Amino acid sequence: MLTVDFTRFPLAAGDRVLDLGCGAGRHAFECYRRGARVVALDQNGEEIREVAKWFAAMKEAGEAPAGATATAMEGDALNLPFPDDSFDVVIISEVMEHIPDDKGVLAEMVRVLKPGGRIAVTVPRYGPEKICWALSDAYHEVEGGHIRIYKADELLGRMREAGLKPYGTHHAHALHAPYWWLKCAFGVDNDKALPVRAYHKLLVWDIMKKPLATKVAEQLLNPVVGKSFVAYATKPHLPKTDAKTDA
């Protein structure tokens, strides 16, 4: 289940991509399939080891085209182990709401992104997320949990302050918002509640079968209750300076 829409976020074969805070690796896997040279980075060593196994399985199965590469590594988003201007593309999906120093993370992403490069940032949307917080303290008051709720203008403002130029936004995963409201209402860790189990089956069916009806429904509902807010931006090229010589 992808949050980044690659029809709005072009990716070319051979692009060097950083999936920052990659988690289970869903965006990294898609970039690898599209022929990119991918680095998937996360501070969770267990998840990184699992992502590395999937990269190896994808290579073995021939899922990635010739020239594509994939590396999974542990790392700190506030101290990325890469030189300046290392990547053509940076993706950070559902991560920034967890990190106290979100401005520091943005600064590091901009540092390692090449001038002219593209960045995709996704966070929980303000309205649906606010409902989750209102329904359940346990949803966010946990170690490593969500520490803030972004308004769209706030996130875009921070991206601009970091030196990025936003060029597009949208919302995603409308069908998942009610699931999390049910989880929060019946208990975040209570997977046995009938409404939660029933809705989860619906989501699994949707992901596996991809029926047209739910695809159309989600497209119609995303502007209203899409659970994720997605923003795309570029890192501008530095202005050229004319060299002047004394007469």
Side-chain angles (χ1 to χ4, degrees):
M1 184 185 72
L2 299 174
T3 307
V4 172
D5 181 353
F6 286 94
T7 65
R8 311 181 197 216
F9 189 65
L11 187 69
D15 276 352
R16 190 152 193 245
V17 177
L18 173 63
D19 185 2
L20 182 56
C22 64
R26 57 201 172 105
H27 289 105
F29 299 149
E30 180 65 20
C31 293
Y32 189 32
R33 289 188 188 99
R34 290 171 177 260
R37 295 173 293 156
V38 183
V39 176
L41 184 144
D42 201 285
Q43 67 177 2
N44 187 317
E46 185 176 340
E47 286 197 309
I48 282 298
R49 286 188 287 276
E50 194 65 24
V51 169
K53 290 178 183 177
W54 278 104
F55 278 151
M58 291 172 67
K59 182 178 181 179
E60 181 70 20
E63 289 189 38
T69 61
T71 303
M73 61 186 295
E74 287 186 62
D76 181 0
L78 290 165
N79 186 24
L80 295 174
F82 310 111
D84 296 356
D85 307 337
S86 294
F87 294 93
D88 303 289
V89 172
V90 176
I91 297 170
I92 184 166
S93 182
E94 311 299 302
V95 173
M96 287 181 56
E97 67 275 9
H98 296 272
I99 301 177
D101 186 8
D102 58 343
K103 292 184 179 180
V105 171
L106 276 169
E108 272 293 88
M109 290 190 290
V110 172
R111 179 184 70 78
V112 302
L113 185 65
K114 295 178 181 179
R118 303 170 304 286
I119 187 167
V121 180
T122 92
V123 297
R125 185 184 187 174
Y126 183 84
E129 183 77 349
K130 196 77 172 176
I131 293 173
C132 288
W133 283 45
L135 288 171
S136 171
D137 290 337
Y139 171 78
H140 63 97
E141 291 182 356
V142 294
E143 184 177 355
H146 299 184
I147 62 171
R148 71 175 65 82
I149 307 176
Y150 287 101
K151 292 184 177 179
D153 289 346
E154 177 188 7
L155 178 62
L156 292 171
R158 293 194 185 191
M159 292 172 70
R160 291 187 182 100
E161 288 173 5
L164 295 168
K165 185 178 180 181
Y167 69 82
T169 65
H170 64 90
H171 300 98
H173 308 319
L175 296 182
H176 288 252
Y179 172 71
W180 282 101
W181 297 339
L182 288 170
K183 289 268 288 181
C184 290
F186 287 93
V188 174
D189 297 319
N190 180 13
D191 293 327
K192 295 182 179 179
L194 180 59
V196 174
R197 286 191 291 116
Y199 202 96
H200 184 262
K201 286 183 179 179
L202 170 67
L203 292 179
V204 171
W205 172 78
D206 175 54
I207 291 170
M208 298 301 293
K209 299 297 184 180
K210 298 180 175 63
L212 179 61
T214 54
K215 180 179 180 180
V216 172
E218 185 153 76
Q219 288 175 344
L220 293 172
L221 290 170
N222 273 337
V224 184
V225 292
K227 192 175 190 305
S228 293
F229 174 70
V230 189
Y232 305 111
T234 58
K235 178 179 176 178
H237 289 275
L238 292 174
K240 294 181 179 180
T241 57
D242 296 327
K244 295 182 179 180
T245 57
D246 294 333

